[in-house]
Amino acid sequence: MSEFTTVPMALGDRSYDIRIGSGLLGAAGAHLGPLLRAAPAIVVTDETVARHHLATLEAALRAAAIDHRTIAVAAGEESKSFAGLADLVDRILALRPERRSTLIALGGGVIGDLAGFAAAIVLRGIDFIQIPTTLLAQVDSSVGGKTGINTRHGKNLVGSFHQPRLVLADTDLLATLAPRELRAGYAEVVKYALIDDAPLFAWLEREGARVLACDSAALGHAVVASCRAKARIVADDERETGARALLNLGHTFGHALEAESGFGPALNHGEAVAAGLALAFQLSVARGLCPAADLARLRTHLTAVGLPASLAEAGDGRWDAAALWARMMQDKKVKGGRVRLILARGIGRAFIDEVIEEAEMLRLLDGTVAV
Ligand SMILES: NC(=O)c1ccc[n+]([C@@H]2O[C@H](COP(=O)([O-])OP(=O)(O)OC[C@H]3O[C@@H](n4cnc5c(N)ncnc54)[C@H](O)[C@@H]3O)[C@@H](O)[C@H]2O)c1
Ligand SMILES: [Zn+2]
């Protein structure tokens, strides 16, 4: 078996391994075999990922005599919809799965969320395994068990908690990813560092360029550190009644920016999150909670890796404060007209703040608070 690091996701009888390393896809038979309880295993992927990586997985399964079928859906967020789910579930049922069958999600966050939700509802729940192929999926979406689809009322509004039995994160797969997609995932790594891992932030300042150049050791370090951070937080609060909200650092802003830009090509999720991280720190500084030097370090680093470091640098930079506030009020995490935000007392010291009101937010977003 190839070299890998295991990060345990501790969730009682739903615990699983996150295995991270190079060469894992080619060794998938050895990793998956012991977990498969009924034939055939059903691989769900998207057409782009299939072109790059499906042959390696299928060869590995064949070499381990693992009977499998493959379903490839169109690449892109549109597949993560009611129509996409209906089509996928139909194709899964046509393969006559049983309760002990396993679904293997080979792809980015779209495939993980869609296939994970299908696994949660087919026959009232079958096993599933994540083989994440984007940096975002390796550091974030494949871990923690949130699955679901988008509706016309918003993203991720229909779904379920359904934990995988294993996450197999092969960092080699990221070499074929578009640089902009890689940077989007990198924004989430920065997020973990800002939440509670100041040494990771210092490491990113030194080694971030190697991560983005797909250096195998650097990617491994970034993915392991991120999964450890996420696993720690999810283990404490699987269903997001408390501390899991920390993972939303930068995201209330980010989601508003994405929604306001119509989820178009001008701004992707990671870019929106990067600007959101800067805004969260900006507000923290304005409130006198966080040293200005930490905001400056964050901005310098985001700029160095090619991510937006302020609202003005996100998308076309032309944002309407009131419209962004209105988007935040639609967020599913809003309670009683107040936006719950994650703020920080410094790099690695994030906390949950319950009391952001309209006036303060508008001052921040329209630039009246200049920090
Ligand atoms: N469940 C969660 O906890 C969670 C957390 C964060 C994000 N998400 C969800 O994740 C989704 C975004 O995930 P994403 O950014 O991975 O997007 P994605 O799955 O759409 O992948 C991005 C693009 O890269 C392509 N791709 C994937 N892997 C590749 C590879 N190795 N080489 C070349 N191309 C590759 C895909 O075909 C797609 O076109 C969103 O729907 C978001 O809501 C879920
Ligand atoms: Zn995110």
Side-chain angles (χ1 to χ4, degrees):
M1 241 189 249
S2 47
E3 292 265 314
F4 62 93
T5 301
T6 299
V7 175
M9 179 69 246
L11 290 169
D13 60 1
R14 282 163 292 105
S15 296
Y16 51 93
D17 277 4
I18 307 159
R19 295 184 192 153
I20 299 153
S22 152
L24 287 174
L25 191 63
H31 292 277
L32 271 50
L35 295 174
L36 302 175
R37 300 186 295 148
I42 301 169
V43 177
V44 177
T45 188
D46 76 36
E47 282 155 7
T48 303
V49 174
R51 227 169 25 246
H52 292 292
H53 301 297
L54 182 59
T56 308
L57 175 61
E58 292 194 320
L61 295 178
R62 265 196 310 276
I66 295 171
D67 183 19
H68 63 278
R69 306 281 183 280
T70 298
I71 299 171
V73 307
E77 195 76 33
E78 299 72 35
S79 290
K80 220 183 105 174
S81 60
F82 270 117
L85 179 71
D87 179 60
L88 176 60
V89 166
D90 198 53
R91 292 169 75 183
I92 294 169
L93 291 175
L95 298 173
R96 310 191 71 73
E98 50 174 286
R99 256 303 199 16
R100 289 145 34 97
S101 299
T102 299
L103 214 145
I104 301 165
L106 174 72
V110 163
I111 288 300
D113 282 12
L114 172 67
F117 189 35
I121 60 176
V122 163
L123 306 180
R124 299 198 176 82
I126 62 174
D127 286 352
F128 103 107
I129 289 173
Q130 293 260 25
I131 307 184
T133 65
T134 63
L135 183 57
L136 179 124
Q138 295 194 352
V139 301
D140 190 354
S141 62
S142 66
V143 174
K146 283 191 183 178
T147 73
I149 56 170
N150 307 322
T151 80
R152 67 189 147 91
H153 297 282
K155 285 190 63 177
N156 301 320
L157 290 179
V158 171
S160 126
F161 286 93
H162 190 54
Q163 300 290 347
R165 301 278 313 278
L166 171 73
V167 179
L168 202 60
D170 182 343
T171 52
D172 295 348
L173 308 187
L174 306 178
T176 56
L177 199 58
R180 196 173 168 202
E181 295 288 350
L182 196 66
R183 273 201 301 277
Y186 188 92
E188 305 287 355
V189 182
V190 174
K191 176 189 79 175
Y192 295 118
L194 296 176
I195 292 173
D196 67 354
D197 195 345
L200 176 61
F201 191 84
W203 183 86
L204 291 172
E205 289 178 312
R206 292 194 310 274
E207 309 289 353
R210 281 176 57 214
V211 175
L212 290 166
C214 278
D215 173 273
S216 179
L219 272 174
H221 183 93
V223 176
V224 167
S226 300
C227 288
R228 283 204 175 112
K230 183 155 184 183
R232 198 160 57 227
I233 292 171
V234 171
D236 286 345
D237 179 22
E238 183 181 4
R239 299 221 161 210
E240 196 167 333
T241 51
R244 189 164 177 169
L246 288 170
L247 298 172
N248 291 322
L249 177 62
H251 279 64
T252 301
F253 293 111
H255 289 150
L257 293 170
E258 281 185 281
E260 203 42 29
S261 61
F263 296 97
L267 189 73
N268 69 26
H269 177 72
E271 292 160 353
V273 167
L277 294 172
L279 281 165
F281 268 68
Q282 207 178 318
L283 185 59
S284 304
V285 171
R287 283 208 184 167
L289 295 166
C290 170
D294 284 22
L295 170 64
R297 263 179 85 190
L298 171 59
R299 282 186 163 154
T300 301
H301 184 59
L302 292 174
T303 302
V305 297
L307 284 164
S310 68
L311 188 57
E313 290 170 21
D316 64 7
R318 295 208 305 271
W319 302 100
D320 180 75
L324 289 173
W325 172 259
R327 295 284 182 186
M328 288 179 205
M329 298 309 292
Q330 290 161 10
D331 197 295
K332 61 180 181 271
K333 278 141 191 149
V334 168
K335 283 192 199 132
R338 285 169 163 183
V339 175
R340 182 174 65 175
L341 273 188
I342 313 305
L343 298 179
R345 296 193 173 84
I347 288 169
R349 300 179 62 204
F351 67 96
I352 302 168
D353 187 287
E354 299 284 349
V355 287
I356 304 294
E357 290 182 359
E358 184 173 1
E360 185 183 23
M361 183 62 84
L362 292 182
R363 280 199 302 278
L364 173 75
L365 295 175
D366 67 19
T368 320
V369 185
V371 278

mmCIF file of all heavy atoms in Angstrom, residues 191-192 194-196 233 236-237 240 242-251 277 340-344 349-353:
data_model
loop_
_atom_site.group_PDB
_atom_site.id
_atom_site.type_symbol
_atom_site.label_atom_id
_atom_site.label_comp_id
_atom_site.label_asym_id
_atom_site.label_seq_id
_atom_site.Cartn_x
_atom_site.Cartn_y
_atom_site.Cartn_z
ATOM 1 N N LYS A 191 -8.843 29.360 6.001
ATOM 2 C CA LYS A 191 -9.915 29.463 7.008
ATOM 3 C C LYS A 191 -9.587 28.640 8.254
ATOM 4 O O LYS A 191 -9.710 29.140 9.377
ATOM 5 C CB LYS A 191 -11.235 28.987 6.388
ATOM 6 C CG LYS A 191 -12.407 28.964 7.358
ATOM 7 C CD LYS A 191 -13.636 28.269 6.750
ATOM 8 C CE LYS A 191 -13.510 26.751 6.805
ATOM 9 N NZ LYS A 191 -14.720 26.058 6.344
ATOM 10 N N TYR A 192 -9.179 27.382 8.070
ATOM 11 C CA TYR A 192 -8.859 26.551 9.250
ATOM 12 C C TYR A 192 -7.736 27.173 10.066
ATOM 13 O O TYR A 192 -7.761 27.154 11.296
ATOM 14 C CB TYR A 192 -8.441 25.137 8.839
ATOM 15 C CG TYR A 192 -9.535 24.347 8.190
ATOM 16 C CD1 TYR A 192 -9.417 23.888 6.885
ATOM 17 C CD2 TYR A 192 -10.708 24.051 8.881
ATOM 18 C CE1 TYR A 192 -10.424 23.160 6.276
ATOM 19 C CE2 TYR A 192 -11.719 23.323 8.285
ATOM 20 C CZ TYR A 192 -11.573 22.881 6.978
ATOM 21 O OH TYR A 192 -12.573 22.164 6.384
ATOM 22 N N LEU A 194 -7.006 30.275 10.339
ATOM 23 C CA LEU A 194 -7.506 31.453 11.052
ATOM 24 C C LEU A 194 -8.381 31.061 12.238
ATOM 25 O O LEU A 194 -8.419 31.761 13.247
ATOM 26 C CB LEU A 194 -8.307 32.343 10.093
ATOM 27 C CG LEU A 194 -7.508 32.961 8.945
ATOM 28 C CD1 LEU A 194 -8.452 33.727 8.016
ATOM 29 C CD2 LEU A 194 -6.412 33.884 9.463
ATOM 30 N N ILE A 195 -9.117 29.949 12.122
ATOM 31 C CA ILE A 195 -10.025 29.555 13.211
ATOM 32 C C ILE A 195 -9.241 29.222 14.474
ATOM 33 O O ILE A 195 -9.454 29.847 15.513
ATOM 34 C CB ILE A 195 -10.922 28.355 12.799
ATOM 35 C CG1 ILE A 195 -11.909 28.768 11.705
ATOM 36 C CG2 ILE A 195 -11.688 27.810 14.028
ATOM 37 C CD1 ILE A 195 -12.716 27.616 11.117
ATOM 38 N N ASP A 196 -8.332 28.257 14.367
ATOM 39 C CA ASP A 196 -7.667 27.850 15.623
ATOM 40 C C ASP A 196 -6.275 27.266 15.417
ATOM 41 O O ASP A 196 -5.815 26.478 16.236
ATOM 42 C CB ASP A 196 -8.555 26.869 16.397
ATOM 43 C CG ASP A 196 -8.707 25.532 15.688
ATOM 44 O OD1 ASP A 196 -8.215 25.403 14.550
ATOM 45 O OD2 ASP A 196 -9.312 24.614 16.265
ATOM 46 N N ILE A 233 -13.486 19.752 15.067
ATOM 47 C CA ILE A 233 -14.681 20.577 15.290
ATOM 48 C C ILE A 233 -15.956 19.754 15.091
ATOM 49 O O ILE A 233 -16.894 19.836 15.885
ATOM 50 C CB ILE A 233 -14.648 21.812 14.357
ATOM 51 C CG1 ILE A 233 -13.514 22.749 14.793
ATOM 52 C CG2 ILE A 233 -15.980 22.547 14.369
ATOM 53 C CD1 ILE A 233 -13.228 23.904 13.849
ATOM 54 N N ASP A 236 -16.861 17.397 17.945
ATOM 55 C CA ASP A 236 -17.482 18.070 19.090
ATOM 56 C C ASP A 236 -18.928 18.454 18.838
ATOM 57 O O ASP A 236 -19.677 18.707 19.781
ATOM 58 C CB ASP A 236 -16.710 19.367 19.420
ATOM 59 C CG ASP A 236 -15.385 19.060 20.093
ATOM 60 O OD1 ASP A 236 -15.220 17.908 20.547
ATOM 61 O OD2 ASP A 236 -14.526 19.950 20.147
ATOM 62 N N ASP A 237 -19.318 18.563 17.578
ATOM 63 C CA ASP A 237 -20.625 19.149 17.273
ATOM 64 C C ASP A 237 -21.079 18.694 15.890
ATOM 65 O O ASP A 237 -21.156 19.484 14.952
ATOM 66 C CB ASP A 237 -20.502 20.689 17.317
ATOM 67 C CG ASP A 237 -21.809 21.387 16.988
ATOM 68 O OD1 ASP A 237 -22.882 20.764 17.129
ATOM 69 O OD2 ASP A 237 -21.748 22.564 16.593
ATOM 70 N N GLU A 240 -24.066 20.653 14.189
ATOM 71 C CA GLU A 240 -23.991 22.114 14.168
ATOM 72 C C GLU A 240 -24.985 22.793 15.096
ATOM 73 O O GLU A 240 -25.824 23.587 14.674
ATOM 74 C CB GLU A 240 -24.146 22.644 12.726
ATOM 75 C CG GLU A 240 -23.690 24.086 12.619
ATOM 76 C CD GLU A 240 -23.526 24.571 11.181
ATOM 77 O OE1 GLU A 240 -23.254 23.744 10.293
ATOM 78 O OE2 GLU A 240 -23.666 25.783 10.992
ATOM 79 N N GLY A 242 -23.513 24.123 17.859
ATOM 80 C CA GLY A 242 -22.618 25.042 18.557
ATOM 81 C C GLY A 242 -21.352 25.296 17.770
ATOM 82 O O GLY A 242 -21.364 25.966 16.748
ATOM 83 N N ALA A 243 -20.240 24.680 18.251
ATOM 84 C CA ALA A 243 -18.909 25.033 17.741
ATOM 85 C C ALA A 243 -18.721 24.812 16.244
ATOM 86 O O ALA A 243 -17.873 25.445 15.616
ATOM 87 C CB ALA A 243 -17.855 24.245 18.505
ATOM 88 N N ARG A 244 -19.519 23.900 15.626
ATOM 89 C CA ARG A 244 -19.334 23.672 14.185
ATOM 90 C C ARG A 244 -19.550 24.955 13.393
ATOM 91 O O ARG A 244 -19.039 25.093 12.280
ATOM 92 C CB ARG A 244 -20.270 22.554 13.693
ATOM 93 C CG ARG A 244 -19.968 22.115 12.262
ATOM 94 C CD ARG A 244 -20.590 20.780 11.885
ATOM 95 N NE ARG A 244 -20.297 20.475 10.482
ATOM 96 C CZ ARG A 244 -20.500 19.313 9.894
ATOM 97 N NH1 ARG A 244 -21.009 18.306 10.578
ATOM 98 N NH2 ARG A 244 -20.209 19.131 8.622
ATOM 99 N N ALA A 245 -20.292 25.903 13.970
ATOM 100 C CA ALA A 245 -20.515 27.185 13.293
ATOM 101 C C ALA A 245 -19.200 27.917 13.017
ATOM 102 O O ALA A 245 -19.129 28.750 12.110
ATOM 103 C CB ALA A 245 -21.451 28.055 14.123
ATOM 104 N N LEU A 246 -18.144 27.599 13.778
ATOM 105 C CA LEU A 246 -16.846 28.240 13.511
ATOM 106 C C LEU A 246 -16.394 28.022 12.077
ATOM 107 O O LEU A 246 -15.694 28.845 11.496
ATOM 108 C CB LEU A 246 -15.779 27.681 14.465
ATOM 109 C CG LEU A 246 -15.869 28.114 15.926
ATOM 110 C CD1 LEU A 246 -14.910 27.290 16.770
ATOM 111 C CD2 LEU A 246 -15.565 29.605 16.061
ATOM 112 N N LEU A 247 -16.809 26.872 11.513
ATOM 113 C CA LEU A 247 -16.417 26.553 10.136
ATOM 114 C C LEU A 247 -17.025 27.530 9.135
ATOM 115 O O LEU A 247 -16.654 27.532 7.968
ATOM 116 C CB LEU A 247 -16.819 25.111 9.787
ATOM 117 C CG LEU A 247 -16.148 24.026 10.637
ATOM 118 C CD1 LEU A 247 -16.759 22.661 10.356
ATOM 119 C CD2 LEU A 247 -14.642 23.990 10.348
ATOM 120 N N ASN A 248 -17.964 28.343 9.605
ATOM 121 C CA ASN A 248 -18.557 29.351 8.721
ATOM 122 C C ASN A 248 -17.756 30.643 8.686
ATOM 123 O O ASN A 248 -18.217 31.624 8.085
ATOM 124 C CB ASN A 248 -19.990 29.666 9.158
ATOM 125 C CG ASN A 248 -20.911 28.488 8.909
ATOM 126 O OD1 ASN A 248 -20.769 27.802 7.907
ATOM 127 N ND2 ASN A 248 -21.814 28.241 9.832
ATOM 128 N N LEU A 249 -16.591 30.673 9.314
ATOM 129 C CA LEU A 249 -15.768 31.894 9.246
ATOM 130 C C LEU A 249 -15.636 32.337 7.775
ATOM 131 O O LEU A 249 -15.293 31.533 6.898
ATOM 132 C CB LEU A 249 -14.372 31.616 9.838
ATOM 133 C CG LEU A 249 -13.363 32.772 9.777
ATOM 134 C CD1 LEU A 249 -13.848 33.988 10.571
ATOM 135 C CD2 LEU A 249 -12.000 32.338 10.314
ATOM 136 N N GLY A 250 -15.960 33.592 7.529
ATOM 137 C CA GLY A 250 -15.873 34.140 6.165
ATOM 138 C C GLY A 250 -17.036 33.778 5.270
ATOM 139 O O GLY A 250 -17.184 34.319 4.173
ATOM 140 N N HIS A 251 -17.896 32.846 5.712
ATOM 141 C CA HIS A 251 -18.913 32.295 4.819
ATOM 142 C C HIS A 251 -20.218 33.074 4.772
ATOM 143 O O HIS A 251 -20.907 33.021 3.766
ATOM 144 C CB HIS A 251 -19.184 30.828 5.156
ATOM 145 C CG HIS A 251 -18.165 29.895 4.563
ATOM 146 N ND1 HIS A 251 -16.849 29.932 4.937
ATOM 147 C CD2 HIS A 251 -18.257 28.935 3.608
ATOM 148 C CE1 HIS A 251 -16.177 29.014 4.248
ATOM 149 N NE2 HIS A 251 -17.012 28.391 3.434
ATOM 150 N N LEU A 277 -13.265 36.252 4.584
ATOM 151 C CA LEU A 277 -12.304 36.143 5.690
ATOM 152 C C LEU A 277 -11.725 37.523 5.998
ATOM 153 O O LEU A 277 -11.613 37.924 7.165
ATOM 154 C CB LEU A 277 -11.172 35.172 5.318
ATOM 155 C CG LEU A 277 -11.566 33.700 5.121
ATOM 156 C CD1 LEU A 277 -10.382 32.898 4.573
ATOM 157 C CD2 LEU A 277 -12.074 33.081 6.421
ATOM 158 N N ARG A 340 -25.570 36.060 12.565
ATOM 159 C CA ARG A 340 -24.549 35.480 13.432
ATOM 160 C C ARG A 340 -23.249 35.390 12.631
ATOM 161 O O ARG A 340 -23.216 34.808 11.559
ATOM 162 C CB ARG A 340 -24.984 34.075 13.849
ATOM 163 C CG ARG A 340 -24.014 33.412 14.793
ATOM 164 C CD ARG A 340 -24.567 32.097 15.293
ATOM 165 N NE ARG A 340 -24.703 31.136 14.202
ATOM 166 C CZ ARG A 340 -25.083 29.877 14.385
ATOM 167 N NH1 ARG A 340 -25.406 29.440 15.564
ATOM 168 N NH2 ARG A 340 -25.185 29.054 13.359
ATOM 169 N N LEU A 341 -22.223 35.981 13.125
ATOM 170 C CA LEU A 341 -20.959 36.005 12.390
ATOM 171 C C LEU A 341 -19.858 35.350 13.213
ATOM 172 O O LEU A 341 -19.926 35.327 14.433
ATOM 173 C CB LEU A 341 -20.521 37.445 12.145
ATOM 174 C CG LEU A 341 -21.028 38.186 10.925
ATOM 175 C CD1 LEU A 341 -20.293 39.504 10.838
ATOM 176 C CD2 LEU A 341 -20.803 37.384 9.652
ATOM 177 N N ILE A 342 -18.867 34.865 12.519
ATOM 178 C CA ILE A 342 -17.679 34.381 13.210
ATOM 179 C C ILE A 342 -16.639 35.496 13.132
ATOM 180 O O ILE A 342 -16.298 35.959 12.040
ATOM 181 C CB ILE A 342 -17.141 33.088 12.550
ATOM 182 C CG1 ILE A 342 -18.279 32.079 12.289
ATOM 183 C CG2 ILE A 342 -16.043 32.478 13.407
ATOM 184 C CD1 ILE A 342 -19.105 31.718 13.498
ATOM 185 N N LEU A 343 -16.178 35.944 14.268
ATOM 186 C CA LEU A 343 -15.167 37.002 14.330
ATOM 187 C C LEU A 343 -13.882 36.413 14.931
ATOM 188 O O LEU A 343 -13.832 35.218 15.229
ATOM 189 C CB LEU A 343 -15.689 38.177 15.163
ATOM 190 C CG LEU A 343 -16.940 38.862 14.591
ATOM 191 C CD1 LEU A 343 -17.385 40.000 15.494
ATOM 192 C CD2 LEU A 343 -16.708 39.366 13.168
ATOM 193 N N ALA A 344 -12.864 37.251 15.090
ATOM 194 C CA ALA A 344 -11.587 36.718 15.573
ATOM 195 C C ALA A 344 -10.879 37.709 16.485
ATOM 196 O O ALA A 344 -10.916 38.918 16.248
ATOM 197 C CB ALA A 344 -10.690 36.367 14.397
ATOM 198 N N ARG A 349 -7.713 32.555 16.386
ATOM 199 C CA ARG A 349 -8.538 32.794 17.583
ATOM 200 C C ARG A 349 -9.945 33.251 17.199
ATOM 201 O O ARG A 349 -10.396 34.329 17.585
ATOM 202 C CB ARG A 349 -7.862 33.835 18.473
ATOM 203 C CG ARG A 349 -6.469 33.403 18.953
ATOM 204 C CD ARG A 349 -5.829 34.472 19.802
ATOM 205 N NE ARG A 349 -6.612 34.722 21.003
ATOM 206 C CZ ARG A 349 -6.580 35.859 21.701
ATOM 207 N NH1 ARG A 349 -5.808 36.853 21.305
ATOM 208 N NH2 ARG A 349 -7.325 36.011 22.779
ATOM 209 N N ALA A 350 -10.641 32.416 16.441
ATOM 210 C CA ALA A 350 -11.994 32.777 15.999
ATOM 211 C C ALA A 350 -13.019 32.436 17.072
ATOM 212 O O ALA A 350 -12.792 31.551 17.900
ATOM 213 C CB ALA A 350 -12.332 32.035 14.715
ATOM 214 N N PHE A 351 -14.121 33.156 17.076
ATOM 215 C CA PHE A 351 -15.214 32.857 18.019
ATOM 216 C C PHE A 351 -16.548 33.237 17.378
ATOM 217 O O PHE A 351 -16.601 33.942 16.376
ATOM 218 C CB PHE A 351 -15.003 33.599 19.347
ATOM 219 C CG PHE A 351 -15.126 35.094 19.226
ATOM 220 C CD1 PHE A 351 -16.339 35.725 19.522
ATOM 221 C CD2 PHE A 351 -14.066 35.868 18.795
ATOM 222 C CE1 PHE A 351 -16.468 37.107 19.405
ATOM 223 C CE2 PHE A 351 -14.180 37.250 18.667
ATOM 224 C CZ PHE A 351 -15.388 37.873 18.968
ATOM 225 N N ILE A 352 -17.636 32.729 17.987
ATOM 226 C CA ILE A 352 -18.971 32.949 17.435
ATOM 227 C C ILE A 352 -19.574 34.200 18.067
ATOM 228 O O ILE A 352 -19.666 34.296 19.286
ATOM 229 C CB ILE A 352 -19.869 31.725 17.722
ATOM 230 C CG1 ILE A 352 -19.236 30.461 17.127
ATOM 231 C CG2 ILE A 352 -21.288 31.948 17.167
ATOM 232 C CD1 ILE A 352 -19.880 29.166 17.581
ATOM 233 N N ASP A 353 -19.965 35.142 17.222
ATOM 234 C CA ASP A 353 -20.597 36.363 17.719
ATOM 235 C C ASP A 353 -22.047 36.375 17.252
ATOM 236 O O ASP A 353 -22.337 36.138 16.090
ATOM 237 C CB ASP A 353 -19.865 37.593 17.168
ATOM 238 C CG ASP A 353 -20.385 38.876 17.801
ATOM 239 O OD1 ASP A 353 -21.507 39.293 17.454
ATOM 240 O OD2 ASP A 353 -19.674 39.432 18.638
#
